[in-house]
Amino acid sequence: MRLRLVLATVTAGLTAAACLTAAGPATARSATAQRTSAHPCSPSTSITGFSDALDKTTYNDTFVGNLSALAVDRDGAIAALSDRSSLFTLDPMSLRPRSVVALADEKGAGLDAEGLAVDRDGTRLVSSETEPSIRRYGRDGTLLGSLPVPDALRVAPAGRATGNATFEGLTLLPGGRTLLAGMEGALSGDGTGIVRFQTWHRHGGSQAFALAAQYGYRTDTGLSVSETTATPDGRLLVLERGFTSGVGNTIRLYVADPRHATDTSGTENLTGQDGVRLIRKTLLADIADCPSLGATAKQPQPNPLLDNIEGMAITGREPGGRLKVLLVSDDNQNQVQTTRFYSLRVRLPFVAEG
C-alpha cells in the first residue's frame, strides 16, 4: 500500500480510537467530544484524546500490556511490542488486537523487547536490552537473523553499558536504509546524562545492515531516553522519561537533529567538554502540561494523564504539516499503572536547509 494511503487509514483510526474507553458510556461521550478539537500542551503540541480501553485486558490468552514500542505496519495497522516477548497487531480503527505472535531468541528464550521498527518488506526489527541485541523477525514471529552490536554498548562485563539501560528506542530513518537505536542510559566512562545513539546502514537493495555512525545525546537531569522515532524530514522525536516515587512520572517530548552531530563511534569517553558536537534538541512539550481530559491516575502523578510512556509512532500528517503521533504507556503488569494510548498533534520547528 502506498504511504499516503497508509497514513490516511491510520489517521482515521486514531480519531475513532479517541472514543475508546473502559470506564463506561459517560466517559465515552466525553472522549467523543474531545476528538473534534485539539487541546494545547505547548505552542507546538496538542493532545486530541486518550484511551484506556486495553488496560488489564487479554487477547488469545495473552496479557495486553507491558507495551514498550509502536510502529506502523505496511498496511496501516499498528504493531505494538510487549517487553514480555509478545508482538501484537492492532486494528487502526479501534486499536483492538487483531493478532499476536510470541518472540524468542536463538535459544527459545524470551526477550526484554523495547524497540520496534517495521522494515520495507514487512520484517520486524526488534531490540532487546538484555545483551543488548537487534533481531529480525518475520510477520509470524520466525527469527530471521540479528544485527552486529558494538562491544562498548554491551552490558558489563562484556561492554560498558548498564543492565536495563541499553536499546530502548528503535527507528528506521526516511528511505529505510538507516536504522537507529537509542540507548536508555549512559555508558561507564561517559558523562552523566550523555547517551549514545547507534546507527546501521545498508546500500542499494541489500537487506543486510552494517554498523555505521554513532552519536551522543544529552538527556535532561534525572531523565533517560524511552523512545526514538524518525520524522519525515530525517530528524527524531525523542521521549525522555523519569519517575520519582510519591511524585510520579516526568515525560518530555523533544525533536532532535542528528544530521550535524559528530560521529562518536571512535570516541571512547563522551564528557560533553571534548569538542564533540552532540545531537541538538528542542523541547516540544512536557506532557505534564497537557490538559488531563478527565483522565485518572492509580498512583500519584503531577498530571493524572501521565503514566510510564514508552512507545511512540508517527501515524500521519495533517494538511497544515502537523504530525499525528501515537504514544502508549507500559503498565509493567502493575495494578497501579495503566496501559494508555495518547494521540497528539505536533508541529515541528522549521529548520533551514544546509
Side-chain angles (χ1 to χ4, degrees):
M1 184 180 291
R2 295 174 60 187
L3 179 60
R4 184 176 299 173
L5 295 178
V6 169
L7 296 184
T9 300
V10 177
T11 299
L14 292 181
T15 301
C19 303
L20 291 178
T21 177
T27 307
R29 286 194 297 271
S30 174
T32 301
Q34 292 160 10
R35 70 176 175 169
T36 62
S37 60
H39 303 265
C41 308
S42 71
S44 67
T45 304
S46 59
I47 184 169
T48 59
F50 72 93
S51 169
D52 296 345
L54 297 186
D55 186 46
K56 306 303 183 286
T57 61
T58 60
Y59 174 79
N60 284 1
D61 298 323
T62 302
F63 182 78
V64 183
N66 305 299
L67 300 180
S68 58
L70 299 172
V72 179
D73 207 347
R74 296 177 67 207
D75 62 357
I78 304 296
L81 180 68
S82 162
D83 61 22
R84 310 291 175 92
S85 299
S86 296
L87 180 56
F88 296 90
T89 297
L90 307 181
D91 185 279
M93 297 303 295
S94 66
L95 296 182
R96 298 191 184 280
R98 284 180 177 174
S99 64
V100 62
V101 296
L103 304 179
D105 66 13
E106 293 78 2
K107 298 180 180 179
L111 314 174
D112 185 357
E114 298 290 347
L116 173 67
V118 176
D119 207 349
R120 54 197 178 191
D121 63 353
T123 297
R124 278 75 165 114
L125 295 157
V126 175
S127 66
S128 172
E129 64 177 355
T130 305
E131 309 92 344
S133 64
I134 297 177
R135 296 181 175 88
R136 299 174 58 248
Y137 293 90
R139 300 178 69 93
D140 61 357
T142 301
L143 178 59
L144 303 176
S146 61
L147 276 62
V149 174
D151 289 342
L153 303 189
R154 297 188 182 278
V155 172
R160 295 166 45 209
T162 301
N164 204 39
T166 62
F167 291 158
E168 191 76 14
L170 193 67
T171 188
L172 278 165
L173 273 59
R177 293 187 178 181
T178 300
L179 181 71
L180 180 144
M183 295 284 283
E184 182 178 9
L187 299 181
S188 173
D190 285 353
T192 301
I194 300 178
V195 302
R196 307 240 184 175
F197 286 3
Q198 176 66 46
T199 69
W200 294 257
H201 190 75
R202 61 185 170 195
H203 299 276
S206 172
Q207 288 294 100
F209 285 99
L211 286 169
Q214 183 186 100
Y215 309 103
Y217 174 94
R218 188 191 298 274
T219 63
D220 290 356
T221 301
L223 302 186
S224 58
V225 171
S226 68
E227 184 64 289
T228 55
T229 299
T231 67
D233 65 2
R235 287 182 282 178
L236 300 169
L237 293 182
V238 180
L239 275 179
E240 295 189 22
R241 171 194 57 183
F243 178 78
T244 302
S245 180
V247 177
N249 288 99
T250 299
I251 306 290
R252 293 177 186 154
L253 178 64
Y254 282 89
V255 61
D257 194 342
R259 292 174 294 186
H260 302 292
T262 302
D263 181 356
T264 61
S265 55
T267 305
E268 183 173 0
N269 299 117
L270 298 180
T271 66
Q273 299 179 344
D274 44 18
V276 170
R277 294 190 307 274
L278 301 178
I279 294 175
R280 296 174 60 184
K281 69 179 189 179
T282 301
L283 180 65
L284 295 173
D286 188 321
I287 305 303
D289 294 334
C290 295
S292 66
L293 303 184
T296 59
K298 302 173 186 177
Q299 62 179 326
Q301 290 286 2
N303 179 335
L305 188 71
L306 288 173
D307 212 288
N308 179 37
I309 300 175
E310 286 201 13
M312 174 170 58
I314 295 172
T315 58
R317 184 189 290 182
E318 294 184 334
R322 284 183 181 260
L323 301 177
K324 288 184 173 287
V325 178
L326 183 66
L327 308 179
V328 69
S329 60
D330 175 357
D331 73 337
N332 291 306
Q333 213 158 336
N334 188 325
Q335 289 303 314
V336 298
Q337 293 180 277
T338 302
T339 295
R340 175 172 289 165
F341 288 86
Y342 309 74
S343 50
L344 304 180
R345 293 176 182 170
V346 176
R347 184 182 69 249
L348 298 181
F350 174 77
V351 175
E353 296 294 332

